[in-house]
Amino acid sequence: MTQLSAAQSTPQQSSDGSRALYGGKSTRRITVRDIGLAKERGEKWPMLTAYDAMTASVFDEAGIPVILVGDSAGNCHLGYETTVPVTLDQMTMLAAAVVRGTRRSLIVGDLPFGSYQEGPVQALRSATRLVKEAGVGAVKLEGGERSHEQIRLLVESGIPVMAHIGLTPQSVHAMGYRVQGRGEEAAQQLLRDAKAVQDAGAFAVVLELVPAELAAEVTRVLHIPTVGIGAGPETDAQVLVWTDMLGLTPGRVPKFVKQYADLREVMTGAVRAFADDVVGGTFPQDEHSVH
């Protein structure tokens, strides 16, 4: 298990620490403009998922500049095998909780499967709910060329969009969980997808499960930031699902995940200690009682 040194766990500031996304001095909400300026400075930044106010508050306090309220909540918290069953009502509730738990992070809310595929008007209606009811600063949706018109209308309507190409989990029944962009034809399609979302006005794009060399090329070609997950080290940012990163996910996790703690072991030990105290009659004691 990787242990963080004091230096590693302290936010690093750029030459102008007030502008840095991670470790910056400003306490205002980070905006999509800040994200674009970080690309110009060559500044890398971290992103994590969160699905509740308490967890999000920890990440916000730690300096994570962008928090994604992902439909991965379906796998991590709602007990689904895929993200497909997650509803817009569920995403709105979860995103609102994350917004309430944070002060500085840019909160990006996922548009779940079925909430934008019908076309731009449906996408606008769904994204408007996340902005108005949950208070997110941006939304994310999957797809490259096929989602071009949805992205364009949202951006023209004043809603910032983070795109998502490569492996798109909402399409699991069509593509499975496989690396995307291998081979010349597939690589060219991914490049077209990346340029399409940029042309439509997306402020950033997630590259999931893409060969590192291809992700590096996309990052060089685009003027908007790339966010990698299983896409090598050359993207502008990196994102992980927080339950994977902190060791709460049971069983095997993807190869690209690095665990920074084992919360499942910590929590199991604490729960067993509590249960043993109750069964053994050692909790509560006098100091835990009201008189």
Side-chain angles (χ1 to χ4, degrees):
M1 191 61 58
T2 301
Q3 299 295 322
L4 295 181
S5 68
Q8 289 174 315
S9 61
T10 301
Q12 300 297 308
Q13 295 185 3
S14 64
S15 57
D16 182 355
S18 64
R19 294 190 303 169
L21 293 183
Y22 176 61
K25 299 175 183 177
S26 173
T27 57
R28 65 168 175 78
R29 283 279 182 190
I30 289 171
T31 67
V32 296
R33 183 174 183 273
D34 297 320
I35 302 300
L37 292 173
K39 170 90 171 183
E40 295 179 10
R41 295 193 300 269
E43 177 189 344
K44 290 181 176 287
W45 45 274
M47 180 167 84
L48 285 172
T49 64
Y51 318 102
D52 65 90
M54 186 175 295
T55 304
S57 70
V58 174
F59 300 162
D60 189 59
E61 183 178 342
I64 297 298
V66 184
I67 294 177
L68 170 65
V69 188
D71 59 2
S72 48
N75 310 86
C76 301
H77 290 279
L78 302 179
Y80 300 133
E81 292 186 2
T82 71
T83 65
V84 173
V86 177
T87 68
L88 184 59
D89 285 343
Q90 290 169 332
M91 290 306 307
T92 303
M93 178 191 68
L94 298 174
V98 170
V99 171
R100 289 193 295 267
T102 57
R103 295 188 302 171
R104 181 174 181 266
S105 301
L106 170 65
I107 309 303
V108 181
D110 248 342
L111 290 179
F113 180 74
S115 69
Y116 62 93
Q117 281 84 356
E118 290 179 15
V121 173
Q122 185 200 27
L124 178 58
R125 187 180 303 115
S126 300
T128 298
R129 281 198 62 191
L130 286 180
V131 172
K132 287 176 65 69
E133 298 179 28
V136 302
V139 301
K140 182 175 76 66
L141 57 80
E142 296 182 0
E145 289 183 321
R146 63 183 167 88
S147 297
H148 178 274
E149 292 304 319
Q150 284 94 325
I151 295 171
R152 182 176 298 282
L153 180 59
L154 295 189
V155 173
E156 289 176 349
S157 301
I159 300 177
V161 177
M162 177 180 285
H164 184 155
I165 62 175
L167 174 66
T168 48
Q170 292 175 10
S171 303
V172 60
H173 296 310
M175 64 171 56
Y177 289 106
R178 299 193 306 273
V179 175
Q180 303 297 306
R182 280 183 173 158
E184 182 63 25
E185 183 177 348
Q188 289 303 313
Q189 180 59 58
L190 190 127
L191 281 166
R192 288 193 296 271
D193 285 336
K195 292 175 181 177
V197 300
Q198 176 177 268
D199 292 345
F203 74 90
V205 57
V206 174
L207 306 177
E208 181 168 357
L209 214 58
V210 172
E213 298 80 4
L214 179 56
E217 182 179 357
V218 172
T219 302
R220 287 192 298 269
V221 168
L222 297 187
H223 61 73
I224 62 173
T226 57
V227 183
I229 178 167
E234 299 302 320
T235 55
D236 298 299
Q238 297 289 334
V239 61
L240 285 176
V241 171
W242 86 262
T243 52
D244 293 344
M245 187 271 291
L246 289 177
L248 198 59
T249 304
R252 295 180 59 185
V253 295
K255 176 185 177 181
F256 56 77
V257 171
K258 180 177 180 179
Q259 282 191 354
Y260 288 82
D262 191 345
L263 291 192
R264 195 171 189 87
E265 181 178 350
V266 171
M267 292 174 68
T268 300
V271 169
R272 286 174 175 165
F274 162 70
D276 289 344
D277 282 357
V278 171
V279 172
T282 59
F283 176 83
Q285 296 183 352
D286 189 64
E287 63 264 33
H288 308 121
S289 303
V290 177
H291 297 285

